[in-house]
Amino acid sequence: MPANTTASSGTTGSAGGKTGRKKGRRARLIVIVLVLALVAGIGYGAFWSVSTVRASYPQTTGSIKLDGLDGNVDVKRDSYGIPQLYADSDADLFRAQGFVQAQDRFWEMDVRRHMTAGRLSEMFGSGQVDTDSFLRTLGWRKVAQEEYDNVLSADTKKNLQAYADGVNAYLKGRDGKDISVEYAALGLTNDYKPSEWTPVDSVAWLKAMAWDLRGNMQDEIDRSLMTSRLDAKQIEDLYPQYPYDKHDPIVSGGGISSVTGKFDPDAAPSTGIGSNTMASATEGLNTQLSSLSDTLDQIPALLGPNGNGIGSNSWVVSGDYTTTGKPLLANDPHLAPQLPSLWYQMGLHCREITATCQYDTAGYTFAGMPGVIIGHNQDIAWGFTNLGADVSDLFLEKVSGDGYLYDGKVKPFTVRDEIIKVAGGKSRKITVRETNNGPLVSDRSGELEKVGQKAPVGNSAPDRAEGYAVALKWTALEPGHSMDAVFELNRAKDFKSFQAAAEHFEVPSQNLIYADTKGHIGYQAPGKIPVRLQGDGTMPSPGWSSEYGWKKDPVPFDELPYEYDPKRGYIVTANQAVIDEKKYPHLLTKDWGYGARSQRISDLIQSKIKGGGKISTEDMQKMQMDNTSAIAALLVPELMKINISDKSVREAQKLLEGWDYTQESDSAAAAYFNAVWRNILKLAFGNKLPKELRVEGECLNVPRADLSGPVDEQGKLVRECGRRDADSAQPDGGDRWYQVVADLMDDPNSDWWKSPRSGRDTATENRDQLFARAMEDARWELTAKLGKDITTWSWGRLHQLTLKNQTLGTEGPGLLQRALNRGPWNLGGGEAAVNASGWNAAGGYDVVWVPSMRMVVNVGDWDKSRWINLTGASGHAFSAHYTDQTDKWVNGELLDWSFGTNAVAKSTTDALTLKP
């Protein structure tokens, strides 16, 4: 046992305590299996004992001395290992939070901080140099340091320091193998040792969160790349206007008051922004953006693939329409499936609220950051979904020598050198160049090295053949107050203090919903949202002219939309438009989610209310699992009208007869329809997109035109293969594509429905012919995947979730991956359903994003709230709490969520005291 810990009399210092014996036996069996696997060598010929595997298990009972505490802190864990902390000061509370999170999740925390700092190569070697180079170019850690030094409040800094002290108290005296089994594996090839935690390590995590929720950057790249194959009208077809007539925005009305100059939910609508589009900046752009897109595919997407198919659900219902008489609030953010889950459930309680101990809150935290991100305190509850504001722009820069052109003059780059240390190899030096618009992200592309001429930087260069580079302007690269907002939100007591906290939540821009014990509900759109001089952010802008760019000040916070106790009695946010852009003066984005999920949630709430019923906690939970397919409701009636001559295809078509469009795991109809949908998208759109957007390795014969490559016998077609990672390829099948197809349904002779002959398939000339071919292709695709007998088909067999350890579980030896990873699970739900188990239609049917947690908060009667995590509390691969919530998550179950002192006491199975 490390020198800084002492177990009190009668404790074992293990994770056992009063946890269920069945779980304990299962955990021991897993440990034995792991040891056998490790003895087998895992490719390294290493021998690990049971003690090696169990050395990192946290002590959860008895007592531990923790340097720096002023008083005792109680850590009470329930049967799922979820901790509730009780302290007498803020400093003790956050010091204990750091210690406890490090007990369960330090490997995860350590990997994340290396990622945000561009230091993965120090842990994993030369294979991460390109990723580190890109992240150093963005400078997340540099900005986080500036925030900590110059922007954040003194109280926030104290809390961050206390948290860091707690983490470091855990690390003191421990070797890597005593912290997590992954360090033991890493030690076989690397002498890496964990360093102390710093407050800036916590702040930098917000940059990673902002990166994956940055808005439309990928859409901006994709639209530009499309210009090589599609004309302006065709691109417009693939990015239709938001359907305000069918899908309600979050805020139903209001505008900027002519009296106060602030947003007023009851004011007459303001003047809309109208149309303000611009053409692609200039030639030479696509080479740069293609390379940049390739680079983005390699950057760890900690929260999920970036695109409009991804989002989250949250809604709140007034007590006027609930069985409890108080508001009910639901939230389920949709993020990449990870092991362990991104979220860490926790309660932070002051035994008595005083000036020096201000917190009584519980919910979902990030391991590595103090405070609660989503949850409730004793007065209010809150939830998040991604607002999707366009907070980043790409600028095409005209490079000239050692500088860039701006208003007719050459300005020198701002330059800094970065040294990347590499485990087992020599350090690498890169040079980061910045313009007045931001860092040159195109400098980090290997392709540009090949085409660069007389590059001013030795290791990388812009496309000198064309003379252009690409800079990224992004609000998260400016120091901000988001870390302050986390603590302010945790202390908020009413809507006014909630809005004050929201004002500081600058990046990432989130939809914030609210409810309080007095019965009020509300919504606030926060965020640092830029005001553009020209353009609408949908395409890259010329960086060489001051006519473009951003105004100095963003959209004022008091002009951002909000609602408070709307007459309809509920608020839904699911990444749809915030407010009708024709009635609002500021551009938030042109790339909203298209409202399939939000409208379904609204319809479910309205049907209950209009029927005279009251909504219960169980109703909210049932809504979260709604898996109805909106696109199936549109297409199936048309598919059933098509005359199919092939007996086997007709047999599959009959699966759709009487189907209610729900996507249950055991549904053969859901399996077949989703295969048809995937093939419709491929035939109508996917095969017509440029290679940069199509799935890597999937090849097509396309018209020769100006393309290069192997030519067919007639010299007319060239073999062209896709380049995009399967999880981010297009068409992804999200609700943007729902709208694209809906808009084309009344034009059965559109050119989009025309598809050339392929193999034994005939060409299609209209919609119904393409639909027939898609049904045929889907039949044979599923025959290959699921078998000839359609009675054995099921959606879940196609649509599977595998949880992967985010480091060695994806890159380690196969046997190690099998030891660290879990699954697969057969899932229901689907793309743009409320139960959004997302899949990319271009890439296949595997689950690529999920509701990363679910909660239903019973406001005012907190102990009747319910929650679930995707995996479990522990990041230790062989702990009983590694994935002990996953089966329940798959089945749509929620756990009891204890908050009050008595409820926590009843649910406690392990009790630990941290002592000064």
Side-chain angles (χ1 to χ4, degrees):
M1 187 173 296
N4 66 317
T5 64
T6 57
S8 65
S9 176
T11 67
T12 64
S14 74
K18 292 187 283 183
T19 50
R21 291 182 179 178
K22 191 174 291 186
K23 282 186 182 179
R25 285 198 300 269
R26 182 170 180 270
R28 286 192 293 274
L29 288 173
I30 291 172
V31 169
I32 293 169
V33 170
L34 171 72
V35 172
L36 291 174
L38 295 174
V39 169
I42 314 182
Y44 295 113
F47 177 84
W48 289 353
S49 65
V50 173
S51 61
T52 301
V53 175
R54 301 191 65 174
S56 59
Y57 284 12
Q59 178 180 337
T60 60
T61 60
S63 65
I64 295 176
K65 288 183 179 179
L66 182 57
D67 291 342
L69 288 180
D70 293 321
N72 289 351
V73 178
D74 293 321
V75 182
K76 299 182 178 183
R77 295 178 184 258
D78 66 11
S79 61
Y80 286 87
I82 300 170
Q84 304 282 338
L85 276 53
Y86 293 85
D88 294 318
S89 71
D90 294 343
D92 280 0
L93 194 60
F94 294 119
R95 186 173 282 106
Q97 184 181 15
F99 183 89
V100 171
Q101 287 191 338
Q103 279 188 305
D104 283 335
R105 298 282 193 97
F106 185 75
W107 168 260
E108 171 196 5
M109 292 163 58
D110 201 15
V111 171
R112 281 184 185 165
R113 67 164 165 175
H114 278 78
M115 192 279 292
T116 58
R119 294 172 51 207
L120 290 170
S121 300
E122 294 178 21
M123 297 183 77
F124 304 112
S126 60
Q128 297 298 320
V129 169
D130 288 345
T131 296
D132 284 346
S133 297
F134 188 80
L135 295 170
R136 294 284 185 99
T137 299
L138 293 181
W140 292 352
R141 172 76 185 203
K142 172 176 166 287
V143 179
Q145 186 70 57
E146 292 172 4
E147 286 184 4
Y148 184 79
D149 291 342
N150 305 318
V151 176
L152 297 178
S153 72
D155 284 344
T156 294
K157 290 182 181 182
K158 289 178 183 177
N159 294 341
L160 287 164
Q161 186 62 60
Y163 180 91
D165 290 344
V167 175
N168 293 329
Y170 172 75
L171 295 177
K172 185 178 179 181
R174 283 182 167 86
D175 293 329
K177 63 181 175 56
D178 299 322
I179 297 171
S180 187
V181 72
E182 288 92 340
Y183 288 110
L186 199 64
L188 298 173
T189 58
N190 188 351
D191 60 358
Y192 172 81
K193 298 185 185 305
S195 60
E196 287 197 343
W197 193 266
T198 73
V200 180
D201 291 333
S202 297
V203 178
W205 171 235
L206 283 172
K207 301 303 171 187
M209 183 179 174
W211 174 253
D212 283 329
L213 300 175
R214 64 193 178 275
N216 76 335
M217 181 176 168
Q218 191 66 60
D219 288 325
E220 191 174 335
I221 293 171
D222 289 355
R223 267 186 288 252
S224 299
L225 294 174
M226 286 179 185
T227 59
S228 69
R229 188 65 54 84
L230 305 176
D231 61 32
K233 174 61 170 63
Q234 290 172 318
I235 296 173
E236 185 178 331
D237 288 344
L238 301 187
Y239 288 89
Q241 295 291 313
Y242 184 87
Y244 291 100
D245 57 332
K246 296 178 181 177
H247 296 163
D248 297 331
I250 297 172
V251 175
S252 58
I256 309 300
S257 169
S258 59
V259 178
T260 64
K262 300 179 181 180
F263 186 85
D264 182 348
D266 298 319
S270 313
T271 303
I273 60 171
S275 177
N276 188 18
T277 60
M278 59 172 292
S280 180
T282 187
E283 63 181 11
L285 178 62
N286 283 356
T287 300
Q288 297 282 353
L289 292 180
S290 174
S291 301
L292 175 58
S293 184
D294 292 345
T295 302
L296 293 179
D297 274 346
Q298 300 171 17
I299 304 306
L302 286 189
L303 306 185
N306 188 268
N308 62 49
I310 303 153
S312 306
N313 302 321
S314 69
W315 65 96
V316 60
V317 182
S318 165
D320 293 340
Y321 300 110
T322 67
T323 58
T324 66
K326 292 286 182 70
L328 294 174
L329 185 150
N331 196 186
D332 55 288
H334 305 157
L335 305 170
Q338 298 179 41
L339 186 58
S341 166
L342 178 78
W343 302 107
Y344 183 90
Q345 295 150 289
M346 198 173 214
L348 301 173
H349 308 278
C350 288
R351 295 189 182 95
E352 182 182 355
I353 299 296
T354 66
T356 56
C357 201
Q358 307 172 75
Y359 298 88
D360 187 12
T361 184
Y364 294 86
T365 72
F366 290 141
M369 182 188 298
V372 170
I373 305 300
I374 293 174
H376 70 84
N377 59 30
Q378 69 274 40
D379 297 306
I380 75 166
W382 66 92
F384 284 9
T385 62
N386 194 24
L387 193 151
D390 187 357
V391 296
S392 64
D393 279 342
L394 296 173
F395 284 83
L396 190 62
E397 304 286 4
K398 179 68 174 178
V399 176
S400 180
D402 292 333
Y404 59 98
L405 193 66
Y406 187 71
D407 283 348
K409 298 180 180 179
V410 176
K411 298 187 67 173
F413 293 113
T414 300
V415 178
R416 72 176 189 274
D417 290 331
E418 295 274 355
I419 305 298
I420 298 173
K421 296 179 181 179
V422 181
K426 294 182 179 180
S427 296
R428 312 287 178 87
K429 176 182 176 181
I430 67 167
T431 300
V432 178
R433 302 184 298 169
E434 296 186 9
T435 73
N436 56 356
N437 289 313
L440 291 186
V441 288
S442 56
D443 274 0
R444 300 283 76 87
S445 165
E447 182 175 323
L448 297 184
E449 284 191 62
K450 300 174 184 177
V451 299
Q453 298 177 352
K454 299 180 182 178
V457 181
N459 69 302
S460 56
D463 187 344
R464 295 288 299 181
E466 298 293 343
Y468 299 112
V470 179
L472 171 65
K473 194 173 184 68
W474 179 33
T475 56
L477 299 184
E478 303 168 2
H481 294 86
S482 293
M483 196 68 240
D484 287 333
V486 172
F487 297 111
E488 292 169 357
L489 196 57
N490 286 193
R491 299 192 304 265
K493 295 184 176 299
D494 51 28
F495 193 65
K496 183 177 180 180
S497 52
F498 169 80
Q499 284 186 302
E503 183 172 3
H504 283 152
F505 209 99
E506 296 165 334
V507 292
S509 185
Q510 299 287 288
N511 295 307
L512 284 164
I513 61 166
Y514 165 93
D516 65 34
T517 54
K518 295 181 179 179
H520 302 293
I521 64 173
Y523 162 82
Q524 177 66 58
K528 186 186 292 184
I529 302 174
V531 178
R532 292 169 177 82
L533 295 171
Q534 283 199 54
D536 58 12
T538 59
M539 297 283 270
S541 298
W544 50 82
S545 172
S546 59
E547 294 179 3
Y548 295 86
W550 297 352
K551 292 184 179 180
K552 180 180 178 181
D553 295 322
V555 176
F557 177 78
D558 57 15
E559 295 182 19
L560 290 172
Y562 74 91
E563 282 192 322
Y564 186 61
D565 290 337
K567 293 179 181 179
R568 64 182 177 279
Y570 63 90
I571 300 169
V572 176
T573 84
N575 317 109
Q576 78 272 39
V578 169
I579 191 169
D580 191 335
E581 67 178 34
K582 298 184 180 69
K583 303 175 182 178
Y584 182 69
H586 298 299
L587 172 65
L588 301 180
T589 186
K590 284 284 188 177
D591 290 304
W592 301 112
Y594 281 75
R597 284 179 289 108
S598 62
Q599 196 58 49
R600 176 62 178 169
I601 296 167
S602 293
D603 291 346
L604 290 170
I605 295 171
Q606 288 179 13
S607 66
K608 189 80 172 182
I609 292 174
K610 290 179 179 178
K614 298 278 188 177
I615 295 172
S616 66
T617 303
E618 290 72 24
D619 291 329
M620 301 283 275
Q621 182 176 347
K622 186 177 180 181
M623 290 178 194
Q624 287 181 325
M625 295 303 295
D626 183 88
N627 57 34
T628 302
S629 170
I631 193 62
L634 175 69
L635 293 183
V636 167
E638 299 302 322
L639 295 174
M640 296 307 298
K641 295 176 184 177
I642 296 173
N643 184 28
I644 300 294
S645 57
D646 187 293
K647 180 180 178 181
S648 294
V649 180
R650 190 166 66 251
E651 180 186 34
Q653 183 188 34
K654 287 184 178 179
L655 288 172
L656 303 178
E657 288 183 359
W659 180 43
D660 62 359
Y661 316 132
T662 58
Q663 300 171 97
E664 301 295 342
S665 174
D666 61 358
S667 171
Y672 181 58
F673 171 77
N674 282 315
V676 173
W677 171 237
R678 167 172 150 82
N679 280 280
I680 287 173
L681 291 171
K682 181 179 179 181
L683 293 169
F685 312 106
N687 292 350
K688 298 165 188 173
L689 296 176
K691 64 182 181 295
E692 292 85 1
L693 274 69
R694 300 201 316 269
V695 175
E696 182 178 5
E698 290 192 1
C699 303
L700 297 171
N701 290 325
V702 298
R704 182 182 173 97
D706 296 326
L707 303 174
S708 61
V711 180
D712 69 354
E713 293 179 1
Q714 291 76 34
K716 296 179 180 180
L717 298 176
V718 64
R719 193 72 168 163
E720 182 190 72
C721 298
R723 291 176 46 176
R724 183 68 63 83
D725 181 83
D727 288 354
S728 56
Q730 293 294 336
D732 62 16
D735 63 358
R736 171 164 68 88
W737 294 99
Y738 288 17
Q739 192 61 40
V740 169
V741 171
D743 289 348
L744 291 170
M745 286 297 288
D746 292 334
D747 187 4
N749 296 310
S750 166
D751 286 345
W752 287 112
W753 302 125
K754 296 178 181 179
S755 181
R757 182 177 180 276
S758 175
R760 59 185 174 82
D761 293 316
T762 58
T764 67
E765 296 295 330
N766 58 46
R767 183 194 69 192
D768 288 354
Q769 288 178 6
L770 186 139
F771 282 5
R773 183 168 153 187
M775 283 195 285
E776 181 179 357
D777 290 352
R779 173 38 157 142
W780 301 121
E781 181 188 358
L782 294 199
T783 297
K785 292 180 182 294
L786 302 179
K788 186 176 180 180
D789 183 358
I790 66 172
T791 64
T792 67
W793 290 1
S794 70
W795 176 223
R797 285 179 61 200
L798 278 178
H799 190 52
Q800 293 187 323
L801 168 67
T802 299
L803 294 173
K804 294 185 177 182
N805 179 290
Q806 290 299 291
T807 51
L808 302 180
T810 57
E811 300 293 337
L815 195 54
L816 183 57
Q817 290 189 39
R818 290 192 289 275
L820 296 178
N821 299 342
R822 299 291 181 268
W825 285 268
N826 296 346
L827 296 191
E831 182 62 47
V834 179
N835 180 22
S837 55
W839 55 287
N840 186 305
Y845 303 98
D846 285 344
V847 176
V848 295
W849 60 85
V850 294
S852 56
M853 62 80 159
R854 299 186 185 102
M855 72 176 192
V856 178
V857 182
N858 197 316
V859 177
D861 198 350
W862 305 115
D863 294 327
K864 292 184 178 178
S865 301
R866 313 207 74 203
W867 61 353
I868 198 78
N869 206 347
L870 173 63
T871 60
S874 180
H876 298 287
F878 312 102
S879 163
H881 304 307
Y882 192 45
T883 55
D884 58 343
Q885 298 185 48
T886 306
D887 286 343
K888 291 182 178 296
W889 176 93
V890 169
N891 294 327
E893 299 176 46
L894 299 177
L895 304 176
D896 291 335
W897 180 356
S898 299
F899 178 73
T901 303
N902 292 336
V904 170
K906 289 180 181 179
S907 65
T908 297
T909 58
D910 286 4
L912 173 71
T913 301
L914 302 177
K915 295 185 174 182

